[in-house]
Amino acid sequence: MSTTTVPELKQISREEAMRLGPGWSHSCHAMLYAANPGQLFGRIPMRFSVLMQMRFDGLLGFPGGFVDRRFWSLEDGLNRVLGLGLGGLRLTEADYLSSHLTEGPHRVVAHLYARQLTLEQLHAVEISAVHSRDHGLEVLGLVRVPLYTQKDRVGGFPNFLSNAFVSTAKYQLLFALKVPALPWLSLPTGPGIPEKRAF
């Protein structure tokens, strides 16, 4: 499935999302990333490492889940879910990135948070995840998104996008890679990858 077939989702503000009625569910997910000075095979710049996870159903997504707004704020609910899988990491409203309304029979507003870590902190999260309660059950493991494209213009990021993603995860990944406020050096190029860049 190429990025060109990913449907556009309606973006709303956090304030608009908070005004939605009880018929809406809220999902909160976190994109953790770090600058990575490494080079693949000594010649392909890694630039950044972004964490996603393989779920129990074989789909890729960001760490997080549904938040019951009757009992939790968005951030408290997200941190509760992250605490089950990523140890002591806690996100705040300052890490909030976007909210999108999903299409389909279920009325869900998908919130995405983004936090830049050091590469050492990112690696510590990966190690912690292996020892979490959900590892091997609901979460099969963390993966790093390959933010590079090999000479054949298929290997790396284009191939990664051919995987199956849960719900809005693929859209959120592509959306985040075009946000000027995030410090990406460049968006990988290749078949099916949008030419429009915001950085």
Short mmCIF file of all heavy atoms in Angstrom, two decimals, residues 99-151:
data_model
loop_
_atom_site.label_atom_id
_atom_site.label_comp_id
_atom_site.label_asym_id
_atom_site.label_seq_id
_atom_site.Cartn_x
_atom_site.Cartn_y
_atom_site.Cartn_z
N SER A 99 -4.14 16.20 16.45
CA SER A 99 -5.36 15.41 16.63
C SER A 99 -6.03 15.28 15.27
O SER A 99 -6.14 16.26 14.53
CB SER A 99 -6.33 16.08 17.61
OG SER A 99 -5.76 16.20 18.90
N HIS A 100 -6.49 14.07 14.96
CA HIS A 100 -7.17 13.82 13.69
C HIS A 100 -8.43 12.99 13.93
O HIS A 100 -8.43 12.09 14.78
CB HIS A 100 -6.27 13.08 12.70
CG HIS A 100 -5.15 13.92 12.16
ND1 HIS A 100 -3.93 14.00 12.78
CD2 HIS A 100 -5.08 14.71 11.05
CE1 HIS A 100 -3.13 14.81 12.08
NE2 HIS A 100 -3.80 15.25 11.03
N LEU A 101 -9.47 13.29 13.18
CA LEU A 101 -10.69 12.49 13.24
C LEU A 101 -10.57 11.33 12.27
O LEU A 101 -10.16 11.51 11.12
CB LEU A 101 -11.90 13.36 12.86
CG LEU A 101 -12.17 14.59 13.73
CD1 LEU A 101 -13.40 15.32 13.22
CD2 LEU A 101 -12.36 14.19 15.18
N THR A 102 -10.91 10.14 12.73
CA THR A 102 -10.82 8.95 11.88
C THR A 102 -12.13 8.74 11.14
O THR A 102 -13.20 9.18 11.57
CB THR A 102 -10.50 7.70 12.69
OG1 THR A 102 -11.60 7.43 13.59
CG2 THR A 102 -9.24 7.90 13.52
N GLU A 103 -12.03 8.06 10.01
CA GLU A 103 -13.20 7.74 9.21
C GLU A 103 -13.70 6.35 9.58
O GLU A 103 -12.96 5.53 10.11
CB GLU A 103 -12.86 7.81 7.73
CG GLU A 103 -12.41 9.19 7.26
CD GLU A 103 -12.04 9.21 5.80
OE1 GLU A 103 -11.81 8.12 5.24
OE2 GLU A 103 -11.98 10.31 5.21
N GLY A 104 -14.94 6.06 9.29
CA GLY A 104 -15.48 4.73 9.55
C GLY A 104 -16.59 4.75 10.57
O GLY A 104 -17.00 5.81 11.07
N PRO A 105 -17.10 3.56 10.90
CA PRO A 105 -18.25 3.47 11.82
C PRO A 105 -17.92 3.88 13.25
O PRO A 105 -18.82 4.26 14.01
CB PRO A 105 -18.63 1.99 11.74
CG PRO A 105 -17.36 1.28 11.35
CD PRO A 105 -16.65 2.24 10.44
N HIS A 106 -16.65 3.80 13.64
CA HIS A 106 -16.27 4.15 15.01
C HIS A 106 -15.76 5.59 15.05
O HIS A 106 -14.88 5.96 14.28
CB HIS A 106 -15.20 3.19 15.53
CG HIS A 106 -15.60 1.76 15.48
ND1 HIS A 106 -16.61 1.23 16.26
CD2 HIS A 106 -15.14 0.73 14.72
CE1 HIS A 106 -16.75 -0.06 15.99
NE2 HIS A 106 -15.88 -0.39 15.06
N ARG A 107 -16.32 6.37 15.92
CA ARG A 107 -15.97 7.79 16.02
C ARG A 107 -14.78 7.93 16.98
O ARG A 107 -14.94 7.91 18.20
CB ARG A 107 -17.17 8.60 16.48
CG ARG A 107 -18.40 8.39 15.63
CD ARG A 107 -19.60 9.10 16.20
NE ARG A 107 -19.56 10.54 15.98
CZ ARG A 107 -20.41 11.41 16.52
NH1 ARG A 107 -21.35 10.98 17.36
NH2 ARG A 107 -20.32 12.70 16.25
N VAL A 108 -13.60 8.06 16.40
CA VAL A 108 -12.38 8.12 17.19
C VAL A 108 -11.58 9.35 16.79
O VAL A 108 -11.43 9.65 15.60
CB VAL A 108 -11.51 6.86 16.97
CG1 VAL A 108 -10.20 6.97 17.76
CG2 VAL A 108 -12.27 5.60 17.37
N VAL A 109 -11.09 10.08 17.78
CA VAL A 109 -10.14 11.15 17.52
C VAL A 109 -8.78 10.65 17.97
O VAL A 109 -8.61 10.19 19.11
CB VAL A 109 -10.54 12.46 18.23
CG1 VAL A 109 -10.74 12.26 19.72
CG2 VAL A 109 -9.50 13.54 17.98
N ALA A 110 -7.83 10.68 17.04
CA ALA A 110 -6.49 10.13 17.29
C ALA A 110 -5.52 11.26 17.62
O ALA A 110 -5.29 12.16 16.79
CB ALA A 110 -6.02 9.35 16.07
N HIS A 111 -4.96 11.22 18.82
CA HIS A 111 -4.01 12.23 19.28
C HIS A 111 -2.59 11.67 19.18
O HIS A 111 -2.34 10.52 19.57
CB HIS A 111 -4.27 12.62 20.73
CG HIS A 111 -5.68 13.05 21.00
ND1 HIS A 111 -6.15 14.31 20.71
CD2 HIS A 111 -6.74 12.37 21.52
CE1 HIS A 111 -7.43 14.40 21.05
NE2 HIS A 111 -7.82 13.23 21.55
N LEU A 112 -1.68 12.48 18.66
CA LEU A 112 -0.28 12.05 18.56
C LEU A 112 0.60 12.99 19.36
O LEU A 112 0.46 14.22 19.29
CB LEU A 112 0.18 12.03 17.10
CG LEU A 112 1.61 11.54 16.86
CD1 LEU A 112 1.76 10.08 17.27
CD2 LEU A 112 2.02 11.74 15.40
N TYR A 113 1.50 12.40 20.13
CA TYR A 113 2.50 13.14 20.91
C TYR A 113 3.87 12.80 20.36
O TYR A 113 4.09 11.69 19.85
CB TYR A 113 2.42 12.78 22.39
CG TYR A 113 1.15 13.27 23.06
CD1 TYR A 113 -0.08 12.66 22.80
CD2 TYR A 113 1.18 14.34 23.94
CE1 TYR A 113 -1.24 13.11 23.40
CE2 TYR A 113 0.01 14.80 24.55
CZ TYR A 113 -1.19 14.17 24.27
OH TYR A 113 -2.35 14.63 24.87
N ALA A 114 4.81 13.72 20.46
CA ALA A 114 6.17 13.48 19.97
C ALA A 114 7.18 13.98 20.99
O ALA A 114 7.06 15.10 21.49
CB ALA A 114 6.39 14.18 18.63
N ARG A 115 8.16 13.16 21.28
CA ARG A 115 9.20 13.53 22.25
C ARG A 115 10.57 13.15 21.67
O ARG A 115 10.79 12.00 21.29
CB ARG A 115 8.98 12.80 23.57
CG ARG A 115 10.16 12.83 24.55
CD ARG A 115 10.31 14.14 25.28
NE ARG A 115 9.18 14.41 26.17
CZ ARG A 115 9.09 13.94 27.42
NH1 ARG A 115 10.05 13.17 27.90
NH2 ARG A 115 8.04 14.25 28.17
N GLN A 116 11.45 14.16 21.59
CA GLN A 116 12.82 13.87 21.15
C GLN A 116 13.65 13.45 22.36
O GLN A 116 13.65 14.12 23.40
CB GLN A 116 13.45 15.08 20.47
CG GLN A 116 14.87 14.77 19.97
CD GLN A 116 15.44 15.87 19.09
OE1 GLN A 116 14.84 16.94 18.95
NE2 GLN A 116 16.59 15.61 18.50
N LEU A 117 14.35 12.34 22.20
CA LEU A 117 15.25 11.82 23.22
C LEU A 117 16.67 11.85 22.68
O LEU A 117 16.90 12.08 21.50
CB LEU A 117 14.87 10.38 23.58
CG LEU A 117 13.41 10.11 23.99
CD1 LEU A 117 13.20 8.62 24.18
CD2 LEU A 117 13.05 10.87 25.25
N THR A 118 17.62 11.61 23.55
CA THR A 118 18.97 11.32 23.06
C THR A 118 18.98 9.88 22.55
O THR A 118 18.09 9.08 22.89
CB THR A 118 20.02 11.49 24.16
OG1 THR A 118 19.81 10.46 25.17
CG2 THR A 118 19.93 12.86 24.82
N LEU A 119 19.96 9.55 21.75
CA LEU A 119 20.05 8.19 21.24
C LEU A 119 20.23 7.20 22.39
O LEU A 119 19.69 6.09 22.34
CB LEU A 119 21.20 8.07 20.24
CG LEU A 119 21.22 6.81 19.38
CD1 LEU A 119 19.94 6.66 18.57
CD2 LEU A 119 22.44 6.84 18.44
N GLU A 120 20.95 7.61 23.42
CA GLU A 120 21.13 6.74 24.58
C GLU A 120 19.81 6.52 25.31
O GLU A 120 19.50 5.40 25.76
CB GLU A 120 22.16 7.35 25.53
CG GLU A 120 23.59 7.39 25.00
CD GLU A 120 23.80 8.47 23.94
OE1 GLU A 120 22.95 9.40 23.85
OE2 GLU A 120 24.81 8.40 23.21
N GLN A 121 19.01 7.57 25.45
CA GLN A 121 17.70 7.43 26.08
C GLN A 121 16.78 6.54 25.25
O GLN A 121 16.02 5.74 25.81
CB GLN A 121 17.07 8.81 26.28
CG GLN A 121 17.74 9.67 27.33
CD GLN A 121 17.21 11.09 27.34
OE1 GLN A 121 16.83 11.64 26.29
NE2 GLN A 121 17.17 11.71 28.51
N LEU A 122 16.84 6.70 23.94
CA LEU A 122 16.00 5.87 23.07
C LEU A 122 16.37 4.40 23.22
O LEU A 122 15.49 3.53 23.30
CB LEU A 122 16.18 6.31 21.61
CG LEU A 122 15.15 5.77 20.62
CD1 LEU A 122 13.88 6.60 20.70
CD2 LEU A 122 15.70 5.78 19.20
N HIS A 123 17.66 4.12 23.30
CA HIS A 123 18.11 2.74 23.47
C HIS A 123 17.67 2.20 24.82
O HIS A 123 17.28 1.02 24.94
CB HIS A 123 19.63 2.68 23.34
CG HIS A 123 20.19 1.29 23.39
ND1 HIS A 123 19.76 0.26 22.56
CD2 HIS A 123 21.14 0.73 24.19
CE1 HIS A 123 20.42 -0.85 22.84
NE2 HIS A 123 21.26 -0.59 23.83
N ALA A 124 17.67 3.05 25.85
CA ALA A 124 17.21 2.63 27.17
C ALA A 124 15.73 2.28 27.14
O ALA A 124 15.29 1.32 27.81
CB ALA A 124 17.48 3.72 28.20
N VAL A 125 14.94 3.03 26.37
CA VAL A 125 13.52 2.71 26.22
C VAL A 125 13.36 1.34 25.57
O VAL A 125 12.52 0.53 25.98
CB VAL A 125 12.81 3.80 25.38
CG1 VAL A 125 11.41 3.33 24.97
CG2 VAL A 125 12.72 5.09 26.16
N GLU A 126 14.16 1.06 24.55
CA GLU A 126 14.10 -0.23 23.87
C GLU A 126 14.41 -1.38 24.83
O GLU A 126 13.75 -2.43 24.80
CB GLU A 126 15.06 -0.25 22.69
CG GLU A 126 14.66 0.71 21.57
CD GLU A 126 15.71 0.82 20.49
OE1 GLU A 126 16.91 0.95 20.83
OE2 GLU A 126 15.35 0.79 19.30
N ILE A 127 15.41 -1.19 25.67
CA ILE A 127 15.77 -2.22 26.64
C ILE A 127 14.66 -2.40 27.66
O ILE A 127 14.27 -3.53 28.01
CB ILE A 127 17.10 -1.86 27.33
CG1 ILE A 127 18.25 -1.89 26.31
CG2 ILE A 127 17.38 -2.81 28.49
CD1 ILE A 127 19.57 -1.41 26.88
N SER A 128 14.11 -1.29 28.15
CA SER A 128 13.03 -1.35 29.14
C SER A 128 11.82 -2.07 28.58
O SER A 128 11.15 -2.83 29.30
CB SER A 128 12.66 0.06 29.58
OG SER A 128 11.55 0.05 30.45
N ALA A 129 11.52 -1.85 27.30
CA ALA A 129 10.33 -2.45 26.69
C ALA A 129 10.39 -3.97 26.70
O ALA A 129 9.36 -4.64 26.85
CB ALA A 129 10.16 -1.94 25.26
N VAL A 130 11.58 -4.52 26.57
CA VAL A 130 11.73 -5.97 26.56
C VAL A 130 11.31 -6.59 27.89
O VAL A 130 10.85 -7.73 27.96
CB VAL A 130 13.18 -6.35 26.22
CG1 VAL A 130 13.40 -7.86 26.34
CG2 VAL A 130 13.54 -5.89 24.82
N HIS A 131 11.44 -5.81 28.98
CA HIS A 131 11.13 -6.31 30.31
C HIS A 131 9.75 -5.87 30.80
O HIS A 131 9.41 -6.09 31.96
CB HIS A 131 12.20 -5.84 31.30
CG HIS A 131 13.58 -6.28 30.94
ND1 HIS A 131 14.01 -7.58 31.11
CD2 HIS A 131 14.63 -5.60 30.40
CE1 HIS A 131 15.27 -7.68 30.70
NE2 HIS A 131 15.66 -6.50 30.27
N SER A 132 8.97 -5.26 29.92
CA SER A 132 7.65 -4.77 30.32
C SER A 132 6.64 -5.90 30.42
O SER A 132 6.85 -7.01 29.89
CB SER A 132 7.15 -3.73 29.32
OG SER A 132 6.79 -4.36 28.09
N ARG A 133 5.54 -5.62 31.08
CA ARG A 133 4.50 -6.63 31.28
C ARG A 133 3.87 -7.09 29.98
O ARG A 133 3.50 -8.26 29.83
CB ARG A 133 3.42 -6.05 32.20
CG ARG A 133 2.41 -7.07 32.70
CD ARG A 133 1.28 -6.39 33.46
NE ARG A 133 0.36 -5.71 32.55
CZ ARG A 133 -0.73 -5.07 32.95
NH1 ARG A 133 -1.01 -4.97 34.24
NH2 ARG A 133 -1.53 -4.49 32.07
N ASP A 134 3.74 -6.17 29.02
CA ASP A 134 3.05 -6.49 27.78
C ASP A 134 3.94 -7.11 26.72
O ASP A 134 3.46 -7.54 25.67
CB ASP A 134 2.41 -5.22 27.20
CG ASP A 134 1.19 -4.79 27.97
OD1 ASP A 134 0.62 -5.62 28.71
OD2 ASP A 134 0.79 -3.61 27.84
N HIS A 135 5.26 -7.12 26.96
CA HIS A 135 6.17 -7.63 25.93
C HIS A 135 5.90 -9.10 25.64
O HIS A 135 5.81 -9.93 26.55
CB HIS A 135 7.63 -7.46 26.36
CG HIS A 135 8.60 -7.89 25.31
ND1 HIS A 135 8.85 -7.15 24.18
CD2 HIS A 135 9.38 -9.00 25.21
CE1 HIS A 135 9.74 -7.77 23.43
NE2 HIS A 135 10.08 -8.90 24.03
N GLY A 136 5.75 -9.40 24.35
CA GLY A 136 5.47 -10.78 23.96
C GLY A 136 4.00 -11.13 24.00
O GLY A 136 3.61 -12.22 23.58
N LEU A 137 3.18 -10.20 24.49
CA LEU A 137 1.73 -10.42 24.55
C LEU A 137 1.04 -9.43 23.63
O LEU A 137 0.89 -9.69 22.44
CB LEU A 137 1.24 -10.30 26.00
CG LEU A 137 1.83 -11.33 26.97
CD1 LEU A 137 1.44 -10.99 28.40
CD2 LEU A 137 1.36 -12.72 26.60
N GLU A 138 0.63 -8.28 24.16
CA GLU A 138 0.01 -7.26 23.31
C GLU A 138 1.02 -6.57 22.41
O GLU A 138 0.68 -6.08 21.33
CB GLU A 138 -0.72 -6.23 24.17
CG GLU A 138 -1.93 -6.79 24.91
CD GLU A 138 -2.72 -5.70 25.61
OE1 GLU A 138 -2.67 -4.55 25.16
OE2 GLU A 138 -3.39 -6.02 26.61
N VAL A 139 2.27 -6.50 22.86
CA VAL A 139 3.32 -5.87 22.08
C VAL A 139 4.42 -6.89 21.83
O VAL A 139 4.96 -7.48 22.76
CB VAL A 139 3.92 -4.65 22.83
CG1 VAL A 139 5.06 -4.05 22.01
CG2 VAL A 139 2.84 -3.61 23.10
N LEU A 140 4.75 -7.09 20.55
CA LEU A 140 5.74 -8.11 20.19
C LEU A 140 7.14 -7.55 20.11
O LEU A 140 8.11 -8.31 20.04
CB LEU A 140 5.35 -8.77 18.87
CG LEU A 140 3.97 -9.44 18.86
CD1 LEU A 140 3.71 -10.11 17.52
CD2 LEU A 140 3.84 -10.43 20.00
N GLY A 141 7.25 -6.23 20.12
CA GLY A 141 8.58 -5.63 20.11
C GLY A 141 8.59 -4.26 19.45
O GLY A 141 7.71 -3.94 18.66
N LEU A 142 9.58 -3.45 19.84
CA LEU A 142 9.76 -2.15 19.21
C LEU A 142 10.60 -2.29 17.95
O LEU A 142 11.46 -3.16 17.85
CB LEU A 142 10.45 -1.18 20.18
CG LEU A 142 9.67 -0.79 21.44
CD1 LEU A 142 10.54 0.07 22.35
CD2 LEU A 142 8.39 -0.04 21.07
N VAL A 143 10.34 -1.42 16.98
CA VAL A 143 11.14 -1.39 15.75
C VAL A 143 11.52 0.06 15.46
O VAL A 143 10.81 1.00 15.83
CB VAL A 143 10.37 -1.98 14.55
CG1 VAL A 143 10.06 -3.45 14.78
CG2 VAL A 143 9.09 -1.21 14.27
N ARG A 144 12.65 0.24 14.80
CA ARG A 144 13.07 1.56 14.36
C ARG A 144 12.68 1.76 12.90
O ARG A 144 12.91 0.89 12.06
CB ARG A 144 14.58 1.74 14.53
CG ARG A 144 15.05 1.72 15.97
CD ARG A 144 16.52 2.14 16.08
NE ARG A 144 17.02 2.05 17.45
CZ ARG A 144 18.20 2.50 17.85
NH1 ARG A 144 19.00 3.10 16.96
NH2 ARG A 144 18.59 2.37 19.10
N VAL A 145 12.09 2.92 12.61
CA VAL A 145 11.70 3.24 11.24
C VAL A 145 12.96 3.60 10.45
O VAL A 145 13.72 4.48 10.88
CB VAL A 145 10.71 4.42 11.22
CG1 VAL A 145 10.31 4.76 9.78
CG2 VAL A 145 9.49 4.11 12.06
N PRO A 146 13.20 2.97 9.32
CA PRO A 146 14.38 3.31 8.51
C PRO A 146 14.15 4.59 7.72
O PRO A 146 13.54 4.57 6.65
CB PRO A 146 14.54 2.09 7.59
CG PRO A 146 13.14 1.56 7.44
CD PRO A 146 12.44 1.84 8.74
N LEU A 147 14.63 5.71 8.22
CA LEU A 147 14.41 7.00 7.56
C LEU A 147 15.50 7.29 6.53
O LEU A 147 16.19 8.31 6.58
CB LEU A 147 14.34 8.12 8.60
CG LEU A 147 13.11 8.09 9.51
CD1 LEU A 147 13.16 9.27 10.47
CD2 LEU A 147 11.83 8.13 8.70
N TYR A 148 15.65 6.39 5.60
CA TYR A 148 16.60 6.55 4.50
C TYR A 148 16.08 5.74 3.32
O TYR A 148 15.22 4.86 3.48
CB TYR A 148 18.00 6.07 4.89
CG TYR A 148 18.02 4.67 5.45
CD1 TYR A 148 18.02 3.56 4.60
CD2 TYR A 148 17.99 4.45 6.82
CE1 TYR A 148 18.00 2.26 5.12
CE2 TYR A 148 17.97 3.17 7.34
CZ TYR A 148 17.98 2.08 6.48
OH TYR A 148 17.95 0.81 6.99
N THR A 149 16.56 6.05 2.15
CA THR A 149 16.20 5.30 0.95
C THR A 149 17.49 4.85 0.27
O THR A 149 18.40 5.66 0.05
CB THR A 149 15.37 6.17 -0.02
OG1 THR A 149 14.18 6.58 0.64
CG2 THR A 149 14.99 5.37 -1.26
N GLN A 150 17.56 3.59 -0.05
CA GLN A 150 18.74 3.06 -0.71
C GLN A 150 18.76 3.44 -2.19
O GLN A 150 17.80 4.00 -2.72
CB GLN A 150 18.79 1.54 -0.52
CG GLN A 150 18.98 1.13 0.94
CD GLN A 150 18.94 -0.36 1.15
OE1 GLN A 150 17.95 -0.91 1.58
NE2 GLN A 150 20.05 -1.02 0.82
N LYS A 151 19.86 3.14 -2.86
CA LYS A 151 20.05 3.57 -4.24
C LYS A 151 18.97 3.07 -5.18
O LYS A 151 18.66 3.72 -6.19
CB LYS A 151 21.42 3.12 -4.75
CG LYS A 151 22.59 3.93 -4.19
CD LYS A 151 23.90 3.51 -4.84
CE LYS A 151 25.06 4.37 -4.34
NZ LYS A 151 26.35 3.98 -4.96
#
